[in-house]
Amino acid sequence: MKIITEIAEMKEFSRNFKKSEKKISFVPTMGKLHKGHVRLIESAKRYGETIVSIFINPLQFGRGEDFDKYPKDIEGDEKILLDLDVPVLFYPESNIVKNTDTFIVNPEYSKKLEGLFRSSHFQGVLTIVMKLFCVVEPDFAFFGLKDYQQYVLIKKMAEDFFLNVKIIPVETVREESGIAMSSRNIYLDGAGKEAASAFYKILSSTADLFKKGEKSPEKLTGFAVKELIKNGFKVDYVEITDPALNRKYQNTEKGDIILAAIRYKEVRLIDNVFLI
Ligand code: PAF
């Protein structure tokens, strides 16, 4: 596996690669790879030569968030990438974000959902993803649906800027207990993991209520909030909206999505379930 740390080298690699007929599939990550990333990489490999990036992006962490203690395991990550036969790891140095004066913002979408609780988060995400796209120049880029709002915002950014990259969503991978895979799950102790498994179950039960005929968004979200609180969680939000994240509290329809963020002690978890 080729490990590239320099921006200029990565650009040159991609430029040369593009002279061939092959496509570049790109999986941006912050490392501490887990089965969710493996699914992203496996999907990417079906579309083209796969480049995985690992970079813990300081721009997307707010004050008081976990930037300093964000889990790292570059050796473990390299092993996973080698096992998956990934040809290129882009592991940029921090100069990829140093002295940045220009940021990508979507003011409308950063006001909702996660944006209400993490005000500069999406600006940081969109800015690093745009930078990575400019360096890697992928034809396809893969994002997990666990971070649904992130996926929607990146897709919108690619459309708004006519980028030559197709954004491909990849399904959430869950632990047997239902917990969505996340690098931050290591913050959960045994009791935390057990508690957190109720999160997905409650969202799924809410989706079941919809299936049985309950269409009122207030009743559905009200049920979810009540159950979450009963299970000891602090609820940041539970919302039902359309897949483009535009509609709020009118009615619910098949294809809508329930998005939620909760806190268990110090650990913040997000998840979502589609209404089918
Ligand atoms: O989803 C993530 O891991 C990050 O937000 C991303 C897309 C790699 C940008 O830093």
Side-chain angles (χ1 to χ4, degrees):
M1 180 169 67
K2 195 172 169 59
I3 301 179
I4 299 178
T5 58
E6 300 282 330
I7 291 167
E9 191 189 348
M10 187 68 249
K11 276 173 92 89
E12 198 189 325
F13 177 92
S14 288
R15 278 282 152 86
N16 286 335
F17 191 81
K18 280 186 172 272
K19 289 182 190 145
S20 73
E21 292 287 282
K22 286 201 204 153
K23 302 283 184 199
I24 295 182
S25 271
F26 180 43
V27 182
T29 80
M30 298 208 296
K32 186 70 188 144
L33 303 177
H34 51 69
K35 285 184 186 150
H37 295 113
V38 171
R39 174 85 56 92
L40 290 174
I41 294 166
E42 282 168 352
S43 307
K45 287 179 72 178
R46 290 197 282 274
Y47 285 74
E49 184 86 340
T50 298
I51 299 178
V52 174
S53 69
I54 295 180
F55 181 66
I56 303 177
N57 169 32
L59 302 179
Q60 70 190 74
F61 290 79
R63 212 173 288 146
E65 289 187 1
D66 56 345
F67 176 65
D68 290 330
K69 63 168 186 162
Y70 193 83
K72 298 176 192 64
D73 180 11
I74 190 63
E75 277 160 30
D77 289 348
E78 279 183 29
K79 193 177 167 317
I80 291 173
L81 296 175
L82 281 171
D83 287 348
L84 287 165
D85 229 352
V86 168
V88 182
L89 165 62
F90 180 39
Y91 188 45
E93 289 157 13
S94 59
N95 66 0
I96 192 162
V97 291
K98 272 210 182 114
N99 304 324
T100 296
D101 289 327
T102 312
F103 295 89
I104 306 284
V105 270
N106 182 330
E108 182 58 31
Y109 282 79
S110 18
K111 282 190 219 130
K112 359 184 155 187
L113 300 159
E114 281 298 283
L116 287 171
F117 296 86
R118 307 183 73 192
S119 60
S120 58
H121 173 66
F122 288 119
Q123 170 174 313
V125 170
L126 294 180
T127 303
I128 190 67
V129 171
M130 181 63 114
K131 279 172 180 275
L132 291 166
F133 283 175
C134 290
V135 177
V136 174
E137 293 189 40
D139 299 286
F140 304 99
F142 297 78
F143 295 89
L145 286 174
K146 190 198 133 237
D147 296 306
Y148 188 77
Q149 191 175 5
Q150 165 174 288
Y151 156 69
V152 171
L153 278 164
I154 291 170
K155 192 160 172 288
K156 189 77 176 63
M157 175 181 80
E159 285 162 13
D160 288 348
F161 288 91
F162 315 108
L163 302 182
N164 289 324
V165 57
K166 192 164 169 20
I167 307 301
I168 315 267
V170 178
E171 243 177 77
T172 305
V173 179
R174 299 184 180 279
E175 290 181 15
E176 228 172 278
S177 63
I179 302 177
M181 293 280 175
S182 161
S183 309
R184 287 187 169 104
N185 286 354
I186 62 158
Y187 297 151
L188 292 165
D189 56 17
K193 278 207 162 166
E194 206 174 307
S197 68
F199 185 21
Y200 175 61
K201 289 191 187 113
I202 292 169
L203 295 186
S204 302
S205 310
T206 312
D208 285 345
L209 280 184
F210 169 82
K211 224 191 230 169
K212 286 185 191 138
E214 180 57 72
K215 299 286 182 274
S216 152
E218 288 85 358
K219 287 205 178 132
L220 291 166
T221 52
F223 166 81
V225 169
K226 205 174 84 212
E227 289 298 310
L228 288 164
I229 292 171
K230 229 196 302 179
N231 278 270
F233 299 118
K234 295 221 165 68
V235 179
D236 279 354
Y237 61 84
V238 178
E239 277 191 31
I240 301 181
T241 181
D242 61 307
L245 305 181
N246 289 320
R247 177 164 33 80
K248 195 185 163 188
Y249 296 130
Q250 287 157 8
N251 56 341
T252 46
E253 289 169 15
K254 262 190 191 176
D256 283 353
I257 180 168
I258 315 174
L259 299 117
I262 57 164
R263 278 169 290 134
Y264 175 80
K265 294 184 182 162
E266 298 302 302
V267 188
R268 192 166 182 279
L269 302 166
I270 62 170
D271 207 341
N272 60 73
V273 167
F274 276 96
L275 299 182
I276 46 169

